[in-house]
Amino acid sequence: MTLSVSGLPLRRTSHSVLVRGVAIGGGAPIVVQSMTNTDTVDVTRTVVQVAALFKAGSELVRITVNSPEAAAAVPHVREQLNLMGLDVPLVGDFHYNGHKLLSDYPDCASALDKYRINPGNVGLGSKRDHQFATLIELACRYNKPVRIGVNSGSLDPLVLSRYMDDNARLREPQPVEAVTRAALVASALESAATAVQLGLPQDRITLSCKVSGVQQLIAVYRDLAQRCDYPLHLGLTEAGMGSKGIVASSAAMAILLQEGIGDTIRVSLTPEPNGDRTREVLVAQELLQTMGLRAFAPMVTACPGCGRTTSTVFQELAQNIQGFLRDAMPRWRVQYPGAESLHVAVMGCVVNGPGESKLADIGISLPGSGEFPVAPVYMDGEKFITLKGAHIAEEFQVLVENYVERRYGDAAKKRAG
């Protein structure tokens, strides 16, 4: 265990897993990933959603490969993404028939950058070992990394039965939840050991043990982290919709990340009907950024508002600035490296406004109810200018753009020189 740049603990594995140039584990930055909810057979819709997720900041995107038609479509998805100049790593999600699909569709096996295998859904009885071995042999043949992903909802029944039988023979049997947790971890570790025996190098294996309960997820990953050196993928499966899913995922993963556990994460939100799939990417980024583990976009400090604030003006400015920073970030990331660490404050009255604005890189303190109608702007802790009139929002955006250009543009020039 070492310390990361932010001062939080970092679980450093002895190696990292490379997925199309993206490093997972080994002390690399924690990776954000997501998954499409399109029918992969629909190449156009799948490409559009993969592109949206990637542009939003998903560093790996998983797609469903569940039928011959989906397997046949995968190379076309890859081709279209390449034509768009999007070098996004694609992970194939396999259940039940992955061994057959990868065998029958070699172009699919080649086009994917990683295979996700659930040992509970590989096969039953005597078929299980052969079909799992086939998947691993194909990963070796095509030089692909693998995530062995165990889920509480589809835990290998043989492993669970074994643990339940052993527990029943104890003088003081453990609770079912504890036994299930042990079986989850055992399924992941035993499957990884089998994969290594079959020839898959350790530096091509990532593990996950996903459950839908916050406390159980924390317990499972603490156990898993103590017992293996593999990079770990975190995620609360079936987290839920809206604020419930966000709160549950954040509560579980924040504790583990604070303890240095987790090398890649996904926030599995149920989207609202016709909702934006990219929301789960933004939540994952904001979780990592608010914890000080990574920086993706400038952070905005904004007060919640109270009886002192002129709510509509203050709220609209905070919303506009947040959107402006998000929209500008793709351009700034290229032109002004480091701009993602910018700290902006948008405050609503004199109580905390000037103080928070001084603490930010650039901040504005709007007039609250009954205050003099001027908005002082602070840069690097010093008052820079006072804005007034009907165009405060537009003028503040210009000041932010100029600040970024001056601060991060000069830094880029110095590095280049």
Side-chain angles (χ1 to χ4, degrees):
M1 188 79 72
T2 59
L3 291 180
S4 68
V5 174
S6 67
L8 296 179
L10 178 70
R11 176 179 175 269
R12 188 180 296 278
T13 58
S14 60
H15 58 265
S16 61
V17 175
L18 287 177
V19 186
R20 202 179 184 90
V22 176
I24 301 173
I30 297 168
V31 172
V32 172
Q33 59 181 279
S34 60
M35 185 176 182
T36 60
N37 61 357
T38 59
D39 182 353
T40 307
V41 176
D42 189 335
V43 173
T44 299
R45 287 187 64 234
T46 301
V47 167
V48 168
Q49 192 172 90
V50 170
L53 290 166
F54 184 58
K55 290 176 181 178
S58 182
E59 292 154 305
L60 275 75
V61 178
R62 185 157 45 113
I63 60 176
T64 299
V65 188
N66 60 338
S67 66
E69 294 78 11
V74 168
H76 301 293
V77 172
R78 176 78 270 167
E79 181 183 17
Q80 290 299 313
L81 291 167
N82 290 344
L83 290 173
M84 296 167 68
L86 301 179
D87 196 30
V88 50
L90 289 179
V91 181
D93 192 59
F94 294 100
H95 298 272
Y96 311 112
N97 57 354
H99 62 289
K100 182 168 178 56
L101 295 177
L102 287 172
S103 298
D104 293 349
Y105 293 87
D107 288 346
C108 170
S110 179
L112 291 168
D113 300 294
K114 186 179 183 181
Y115 307 154
R116 190 272 185 165
I117 304 170
N118 182 344
N121 288 341
V122 169
L124 297 176
S126 60
K127 294 181 179 180
R128 180 199 179 283
D129 291 345
H130 171 71
Q131 291 174 184
F132 183 80
T134 300
L135 284 164
I136 298 303
E137 288 163 4
L138 287 162
C140 293
R141 181 187 308 172
Y142 291 98
N143 196 28
K144 304 295 182 181
V146 166
R147 170 160 72 94
I148 295 174
V150 182
N151 271 45
S152 58
S154 52
L155 177 58
D156 187 334
L158 293 178
V159 176
L160 180 60
S161 176
R162 188 176 84 229
Y163 270 75
M164 288 296 183
D165 290 345
D166 290 345
N167 185 62
R169 287 191 286 268
L170 296 176
R171 174 175 290 181
E172 297 183 4
Q174 296 293 308
V176 171
E177 183 178 285
V179 179
T180 302
R181 185 167 66 239
L184 282 164
V185 173
S187 179
L189 295 178
E190 290 172 9
S191 297
T194 299
V196 172
Q197 292 172 3
L198 291 168
L200 187 66
Q202 290 189 18
D203 62 2
R204 290 192 209 150
I205 298 174
T206 304
L207 297 184
S208 68
C209 283
K210 289 190 172 185
V211 298
S212 56
V214 171
Q215 295 297 342
Q216 190 168 7
L217 189 85
I218 295 167
V220 164
Y221 273 90
R222 282 174 173 166
D223 189 10
L224 188 60
Q226 289 179 349
R227 296 177 58 186
C228 77
D229 188 45
Y230 294 109
L232 302 180
H233 168 65
L234 295 187
L236 193 71
T237 190
E238 294 102 27
M241 181 180 287
S243 60
K244 184 270 178 184
I246 294 171
V247 171
S249 293
S250 299
M253 288 194 283
I255 291 173
L256 292 167
L257 293 167
Q258 184 76 14
E259 296 177 1
I261 299 171
D263 302 284
T264 173
I265 68 171
R266 181 192 175 201
V267 177
S268 300
L269 294 181
T270 303
E272 297 174 359
N274 301 314
D276 190 347
R277 189 69 167 180
T278 62
R279 190 183 187 195
E280 67 175 47
V281 179
L282 299 182
V283 172
Q285 289 180 328
E286 288 170 356
L287 172 60
L288 293 176
Q289 184 150 348
T290 54
M291 293 188 68
L293 292 167
R294 289 192 65 180
F296 297 94
M299 291 290 288
V300 178
T301 296
C303 68
C306 66
R308 293 176 178 272
T309 58
T310 307
S311 295
T312 55
V313 175
F314 158 64
Q315 292 166 355
E316 288 170 3
L317 180 59
Q319 184 180 49
N320 290 342
I321 289 299
Q322 185 83 54
F324 165 72
L325 295 172
R326 279 277 178 195
D327 292 342
M329 199 56 226
R331 173 170 54 86
W332 286 354
R333 190 173 288 111
V334 176
Q335 293 180 324
Y336 310 122
E340 64 274 6
S341 62
L342 179 71
H343 180 194
V344 180
V346 180
M347 303 300 294
C349 77
V350 297
V351 174
N352 291 323
E356 290 288 351
S357 297
K358 290 177 183 178
L359 292 173
D361 296 315
I362 178 170
I364 186 170
S365 180
L366 292 171
S369 300
E371 295 175 15
F372 196 66
V374 295
V377 175
Y378 296 82
M379 292 186 186
D380 299 320
E382 301 292 334
K383 186 175 178 180
F384 177 75
I385 195 174
T386 298
L387 303 178
K388 61 182 73 174
H391 302 289
I392 288 177
E394 294 86 346
E395 293 173 5
F396 184 63
Q397 287 185 13
V398 171
L399 291 174
V400 172
E401 181 79 41
N402 291 340
Y403 180 90
V404 168
E405 181 179 2
R406 183 176 69 254
R407 176 173 174 177
Y408 298 101
D410 288 348
K413 289 176 183 176
K414 289 178 182 178
R415 284 195 294 270

